[in-house]
């Protein structure tokens, strides 16, 4: 199995820098023993204009591997070269991927103390693999590599050149060209060779999910063939594939820029009185006040703010001692970072900080950390999920976490015609996957309540327009059979016990 990586350069950016980036000296042929045989690294050419590094893996049958290990490293690669450069079409290419990781570990991580800026920069690269087992053929090869910025040439290799009528083998000669960072290029190859091969030579254990996410970072989330890559890389082990899909979804959402301030929400509703001093509070503030009032009325002490964003509601909850335990959860690490900073979490006194927990997690998955709370708030969150994922959120909140009270707010799309700054037919926020009218929201809420044993009532937030209703719709779900009074009594009882 054989792979070459070439780059071109000039006096200012010599191609020989490749040897620094790969951490392998251009004047020496080196041998590394891997579990599957010896991996040789050498440079067929090394000039300022053009440098090529070659990785050649000599796969030993198990007995040879053992013997080879006893012998240790060494050998005379030059003399033996001819015997390596033969056609081994049965060779599994996940072996080469493992060799790549073993031999070029630092380059894969993008580390290069000597030339850090070169490691961080794209360079013109040409990667050639003379024989790649490719299930799915040249078409799949292109679908895997092209979205990553490669120009792909995948030439099918005939089963036997002497008998063209036998057709093509499942092997291709692959040439990839592009301007990429070396570490990205190596990570693409490391992950995608076994995907093309589609049969791993070793048992795929759960830590392969970590590897996939580590080496897929920055390019696998959002790749159009993400599903196929994940499933094949994990040898179609369903439970692992599912785990990877969940973690990739988290990564994608954490990257997505869905936490920008909802500008239009912070604007003042247009139907305010004329006098400046009587301007109503921005809609976001009115919403927070409405949510707080409902939480107080429910007698909730332990509260979840699900999709807490930058923590405005969490801050308000902290100010009221009646809320003894506050959990803010969001899928976005960036939002949580901003929340922690705004709340001055690092300088918060122990008493206050002991009431607060910030968690990263996705509401699209059940989460045991969310069980046992009095109330949950989903303020302007549901519309950020793709509709097909909403049942998952429904189950996670109403089926699994199951707090006594759930408060949900979402825009009322009917009101959009009243926002002067909003072009007709536009959603209020770029990341809104849907916006419902009052009937649609009620239809969803009734079904959720019926399925999970809650009762539901609705409140307007903001000016309740006689035609189009309020800008924000709010629903309060209460676990059936647990009225407000009971909650309040319970709270009173708690207070009495404390006293
Ligand atoms: N509750 C805040 C923020 C609303 S913006 C408020 O009322 O102002 C929507 C928030 O939901 C964002 O912070 C976004 O990161 C978060 N979110 C979107 N999808 C999510 C998911 N699947 N799980 C958890 N949070 C999610």
């Amino acid at each position: 199995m054989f792979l070459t990586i070439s780059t071109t350069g000039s006096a200012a950016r010599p191609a020989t820098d490749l040897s620094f980036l790969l951490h392998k000296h251009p004047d020496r042929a080196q041998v590394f023993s891997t579990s599957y045989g010896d991996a040789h690294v050498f440079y067929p050419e090394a000039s300022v204009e053009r440098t090529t590094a070659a990785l050649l893996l000599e796969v030993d049958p198990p007995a040879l591997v053992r013997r080879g290990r006893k012998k240790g490293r060494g050998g005379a690669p030059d003399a033996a070269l001819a015997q390596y450069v033969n056609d081994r079409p049965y060779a599994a290419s996940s072996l080469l991927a493992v060799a790549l990781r073993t031999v070029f570990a630092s380059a894969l991580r993008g580390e290069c103390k000597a030339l850090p800026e070169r490691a961080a920069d794209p360079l013109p690269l040409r990667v050639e693999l003379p024989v790649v087992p490719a299930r799915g053929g040249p078409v799949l090869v292109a679908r895997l590599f092209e979205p990553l910025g490669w120009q792909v040439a995948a030439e099918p290799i005939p089963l036997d050149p002497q008998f063209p009528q036998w057709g093509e083998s499942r092997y291709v000669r692959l040439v990839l060209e592009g301007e990429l960072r070396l570490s990205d290029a190596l990570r693409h190859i490391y992950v995608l060779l076994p995907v093309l091969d589609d049969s791993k030579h070793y048992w795929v254990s759960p830590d392969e999910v970590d590897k996939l996410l580590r080496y897929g970072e920055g390019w696998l989330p959002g790749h159009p063939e993400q599903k196929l890559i994940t499933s094949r890389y994990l040898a179609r082990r369903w439970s692992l594939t599912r785990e990877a899909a969940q973690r990739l979804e988290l990564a994608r959402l954490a990257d997505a820029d869905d936490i920008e301030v909802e500008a239009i929400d912070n604007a003042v509703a247009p139907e305010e009185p004329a006098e400046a001093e009587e301007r109503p509070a921005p809609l976001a503030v009115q919403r927070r006040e409405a949510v707080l009032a409902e939480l107080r009325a429910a007698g909730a002490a332990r509260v979840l703010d699900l999709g807490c964003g930058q923590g405005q509601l969490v801050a308000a909850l902290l100010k009221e001692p009646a809320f003894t335990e506050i959990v803010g959860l969001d899928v976005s690490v960036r939002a949580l970072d901003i929340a922690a900073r705004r709340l001055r979490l690092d300088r918060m006194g122990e008493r206050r900080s002991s009431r607060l927990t910030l968690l990263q997690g996705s509401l699209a998955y059940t989460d045991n950390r969310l069980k046992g709370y009095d109330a949950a708030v989903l303020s302007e969150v549901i519309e950020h999920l793709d509709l097909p994922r909403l049942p998952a959120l429904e189950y996670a909140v109403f089926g699994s976490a199951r707090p006594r009270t759930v408060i949900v707010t979402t825009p009322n799309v009917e009101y959009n015609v009243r926002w002067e700054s909003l072009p007709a037919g536009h959603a209020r926020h770029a990341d809104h996957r849907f916006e419902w009218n009052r009937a649609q929201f009620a239809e969803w809420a009734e079904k959720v309540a019926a399925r999970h044993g809650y009762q539901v009532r609705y409140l307007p937030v903001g000016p309740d327009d006689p035609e189009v209703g309020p800008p924000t719709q709010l629903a309060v779900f209460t676990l059936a059979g647990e009225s407000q009074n009971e909650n309040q009594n319970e709270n009173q009882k708690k207070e009495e016990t404390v006293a």
Side-chain angles (χ1 to χ4, degrees), residues 90-138:
Y90 50 84
S93 70
S94 56
L95 292 174
L96 186 61
V98 172
L100 192 79
R101 199 189 73 225
T102 314
V103 174
F104 297 132
S106 310
L108 227 79
R109 287 195 297 269
E111 290 169 6
C112 183
K113 284 216 183 83
L115 297 170
E117 68 292 337
R118 286 286 261 155
D121 270 355
L123 51 159
L125 289 173
R126 182 179 191 279
V127 177
E128 181 169 348
L129 292 128
V131 183
V132 177
R135 261 184 60 156

Side-chain angles (χ1 to χ4, degrees), residues 50-121:
R50 192 180 161 83
T51 294
T52 297
L55 168 68
L56 183 149
L57 178 66
E58 174 199 24
V59 181
D60 293 339
L64 281 178
V65 171
R66 255 175 270 126
R67 217 183 55 191
R69 275 208 198 120
K70 257 187 243 146
K71 257 199 330 207
R73 291 179 180 190
D78 287 343
L81 201 57
Q83 93 188 50
Y84 303 141
V85 187
N86 57 25
D87 188 10
R88 286 174 181 251
Y90 50 84
S93 70
S94 56
L95 292 174
L96 186 61
V98 172
L100 192 79
R101 199 189 73 225
T102 314
V103 174
F104 297 132
S106 310
L108 227 79
R109 287 195 297 269
E111 290 169 6
C112 183
K113 284 216 183 83
L115 297 170
E117 68 292 337
R118 286 286 261 155
D121 270 355

Side-chain angles (χ1 to χ4, degrees), residues 308 433 436:
C308 63
R433 309 301 164 90
W436 277 336

Side-chain angles (χ1 to χ4, degrees), residues 258-259 262 307-309 330-332 361-363 379-381 384-385:
D258 53 6
I259 56 158
E262 304 202 3
C308 63
D330 205 283
V331 76
S332 162
S362 171
L363 294 164
S379 165
E380 305 295 286
V381 171
H384 288 263
L385 273 87

